Amino acid sequence: MAMLWKFMRVAKYSKTALSPKVKVRGIPTHSRHSSSKSVPSDFAASAPCSNTVELLGKTYPQDDYSNVTEKILSKVGKNLHNRKHHPLWLIKEQVKDHFYKHYIGRRGTPLFSVYDGLSPVVTVQQNFDSLLIPQNHASRRKEDNYYLNRDHMLRAHTSAHQWDLIHSGLDAFLAVGDVYRRDTIDNTHYPVFHQMEGVRLFSCHELFSNIKDGEGLQLFEQGHRTAHKQECHTMEAVRLVEFNLKQVLTKLMTHIFGDGLQVRWVDCYFPFTHPSFEMEINFQGEWMEVLGCGVMEQQLVNSAGARDKIGWAFGLGLERLAMILYDIPDIRLFWSEDERFLKQFIGPHIWQKIKFQPLSRYPPLINDISFWLPSETYSKNDFYDLVRTIGGDLIEKVVLVDEFAHPKTKKVSHCYRIVYRHPERTLTQDEVHRIHQAIEESAVRELGVEGRF
């Protein structure tokens, strides 16, 4: 993979990283049923001229919440899920094909619409408020999200489009796109990944029409919230919605991974679904979580204008499915431009069985970095973002290997182990030394740490 982050950018790195006026041209579109128009990925940064960011044809003023970096903005518009024959495109097309063939509307057309070109720039209201996520919820933290400013952000999940699509009158849809989260650095985590959102709403007639003596059954009641239902739902309605949801997803996973697949459900908690579950599949003897789902919060459904309906929602990660199905060991490979990687996924049809053949395994180079933390608030994700910005996809893993509190001064020291490995060539000690030194200098300058190197 060509090195995306040049050494010359190191000196320009800042914590906000957006003093230049950044432009990413192109506006995504969507339409009824499948929409596959991608955002052009042209990326250019001009000389510093204002405190604004220009992204997808719009200008956003920066403020104290702005924390998105140029490195992350360079990924906006890549739309790997719409790049033909890419493994993420294959997974998306397989899911679409399954839903199109197995769920048909009254007029003989696919029941589910597919939206795969929605803009990744959303409002905080769309990403959190519309989903009933409380103001003090941990998922809103700057440490975990990429904010353009206090009002706009790069979506953290495709659920950010639920309210708008329901409000537009849709009862069944799939929304696919790139999502952005600040996270740890290893072979299964990347700050940009791809999700698919699924939503299905039912009227009273649709839910109970095939139930014997179901004429008297109702969707709603004046009840109490329990671990198994919302206060406004009848138990009969919840049980049927839950059964339908699990049946739909079990059929989908079996269709993708083959007959004999073992599935189990684990109770969990999502703010915008209740009850909610995680699906785990047994693949090659190991249980793996592949998606989260649940009965939609009725307050969300009501506020979007579908007061007489009840429904379910699910979210799945395309990278997770592709890594399992194709045996891809490193999430960075999805961003590779190496033909040895990409050509492996070209076939006559989307259901062709493919097993990834590893590229030559290049040796890692490992360096540690230790520093005293500043007295003010310190976030590990700030450090991870700094490392990603400077080292780019040469960084395979960052691990906190030691944490020490001085008994007298009470100062806290962190030691991180950084594993450098290029997925397509051998790194030299000299180039890794330059990157590592730049990380040390930037950590002192940008994070206010006291180096122990």
Side-chain angles (χ1 to χ4, degrees):
M1 182 187 296
M3 187 173 176
L4 299 177
W5 210 240
K6 305 296 184 183
F7 296 127
M8 61 186 294
R9 292 192 184 270
V10 170
K12 296 182 180 179
Y13 173 79
S14 68
K15 193 170 180 180
T16 341
L18 283 179
S19 52
K21 191 175 183 180
V22 179
K23 295 183 179 180
V24 182
R25 295 183 294 276
I27 301 176
T29 60
H30 62 85
S31 61
R32 182 69 177 173
H33 299 304
S34 181
S35 165
S36 298
K37 293 184 179 180
S38 301
V39 182
S41 58
D42 305 288
F43 176 78
S46 63
C49 58
S50 69
N51 252 353
T52 62
V53 182
E54 211 172 292
L55 185 61
L56 304 181
K58 295 184 178 180
T59 300
Y60 302 91
Q62 296 184 71
D63 57 27
D64 60 327
Y65 248 64
S66 305
N67 67 350
V68 63
T69 65
E70 289 184 17
K71 173 67 175 178
I72 296 302
L73 286 177
S74 71
K75 304 293 187 182
V76 176
K78 296 294 186 181
N79 291 338
L80 301 183
H81 60 288
N82 288 337
R83 185 182 296 182
K84 194 171 183 179
H85 299 302
H86 191 279
L88 298 180
W89 176 84
L90 287 174
I91 290 289
K92 182 199 72 173
E93 291 299 311
Q94 289 179 21
V95 176
K96 279 174 52 179
D97 182 67
H98 174 78
F99 274 89
Y100 278 1
K101 288 180 177 177
H102 292 83
Y103 303 98
I104 306 299
R106 286 176 293 180
R107 299 180 180 179
T109 56
L111 179 65
F112 284 81
S113 301
V114 178
Y115 295 84
D116 56 11
L118 299 172
S119 173
V121 179
V122 297
T123 64
V124 172
Q125 195 278 335
Q126 287 176 298
N127 199 81
F128 297 121
D129 298 335
S130 71
L131 298 172
L132 312 178
I133 297 175
Q135 288 289 334
N136 60 352
H137 198 272
S139 63
R140 291 178 178 255
R141 298 183 308 174
K142 283 177 61 177
E143 288 80 2
D144 299 323
N145 299 283
Y146 288 105
Y147 286 91
L148 294 174
N149 52 42
R150 282 186 172 271
D151 298 320
H152 295 86
M153 63 188 298
L154 297 176
R155 63 188 168 206
H157 43 213
T158 45
S159 305
H161 303 291
Q162 277 186 11
W163 192 95
D164 292 320
L165 292 174
I166 294 173
H167 188 65
S168 72
L170 297 178
D171 288 342
F173 58 84
L174 304 174
V176 194
D178 43 332
V179 299
Y180 299 77
R181 295 183 193 172
R182 305 178 76 196
D183 211 336
T184 54
I185 303 176
D186 57 36
N187 67 331
T188 61
H189 291 87
Y190 201 79
V192 189
F193 57 103
H194 298 74
Q195 279 189 340
M196 175 177 284
E197 193 82 10
V199 168
R200 175 78 167 98
L201 301 181
F202 302 88
S203 66
C204 186
H205 172 74
E206 289 171 323
L207 193 60
F208 297 127
S209 60
N210 294 324
I211 303 299
K212 184 179 180 181
D213 301 323
E215 294 83 1
L217 297 178
Q218 300 295 322
L219 297 180
F220 307 111
E221 68 174 9
Q222 296 280 339
H224 301 282
R225 178 172 290 240
T226 69
H228 306 291
K229 64 181 284 292
Q230 297 172 41
E231 57 271 29
C232 58
H233 292 159
T234 64
M235 184 57 75
E236 295 84 2
V238 171
R239 290 301 187 201
L240 282 173
V241 170
E242 182 182 322
F243 174 77
N244 180 269
L245 170 62
K246 291 181 176 179
Q247 187 180 51
V248 166
L249 293 175
T250 300
K251 286 182 178 178
L252 172 63
M253 290 300 125
T254 301
H255 202 61
I256 291 176
F257 293 102
D259 294 331
L261 182 74
Q262 291 179 280
V263 173
R264 71 183 183 190
W265 299 93
V266 179
D267 292 346
C268 64
Y269 169 74
F270 298 112
F272 44 93
T273 55
H274 178 76
S276 51
F277 317 93
E278 287 180 345
M279 175 193 242
E280 296 181 349
I281 65 171
N282 192 311
F283 193 77
Q284 298 179 348
E286 181 179 354
W287 286 101
M288 301 180 180
E289 184 264 317
V290 292
L291 57 84
C293 60
V295 179
M296 294 190 71
E297 282 288 339
Q298 197 60 38
Q299 184 181 340
L300 189 164
V301 177
N302 290 349
S303 69
R307 291 180 174 275
D308 59 341
K309 296 178 180 177
I310 182 176
W312 51 247
F314 71 80
L316 58 85
L318 299 186
E319 276 88 349
R320 170 54 65 94
L321 293 183
M323 291 178 81
I324 296 173
L325 182 62
Y326 302 128
D327 201 18
I328 298 174
D330 193 325
I331 197 169
R332 293 177 300 164
L333 285 167
F334 291 106
W335 297 90
S336 175
E337 296 293 342
D338 192 326
E339 289 298 314
R340 294 175 300 165
F341 173 77
L342 296 173
K343 284 185 176 179
Q344 295 189 39
F345 301 95
I346 298 175
H349 56 80
I350 61 174
W351 295 102
Q352 180 181 358
K353 290 190 177 298
I354 298 171
K355 181 176 174 60
F356 171 66
Q357 299 301 314
L359 310 179
S360 298
R361 187 65 169 171
Y362 298 101
L365 292 176
I366 300 172
N367 283 270
D368 290 353
I369 178 173
S370 299
F371 47 76
W372 296 105
L373 305 189
S375 55
E376 60 268 19
T377 302
Y378 167 82
S379 166
K380 285 187 289 186
N381 280 347
D382 283 341
F383 177 66
Y384 296 149
D385 248 8
L386 182 147
V387 172
R388 278 196 178 105
T389 297
I390 296 173
D393 287 342
L394 303 186
I395 310 296
E396 179 178 78
K397 184 186 297 186
V398 179
V399 181
L400 177 62
V401 293
D402 185 57
E403 187 171 355
F404 168 73
H406 195 283
K408 292 184 178 179
T409 65
K410 306 302 180 184
K411 293 173 65 175
V412 177
S413 170
H414 279 186
C415 178
Y416 294 90
R417 179 153 297 156
I418 303 178
V419 179
Y420 299 84
R421 191 200 313 255
H422 199 296
E424 296 158 8
R425 65 177 177 84
T426 299
L427 292 172
T428 67
Q429 289 282 2
D430 185 55
E431 65 181 313
V432 167
H433 173 73
R434 294 200 303 272
I435 298 171
H436 197 75
Q437 187 176 28
I439 291 172
E440 292 175 339
E441 294 171 355
S442 292
V444 172
R445 184 174 62 252
E446 306 297 339
L447 303 183
V449 304
E450 181 183 340
R452 302 181 67 191
F453 21 87

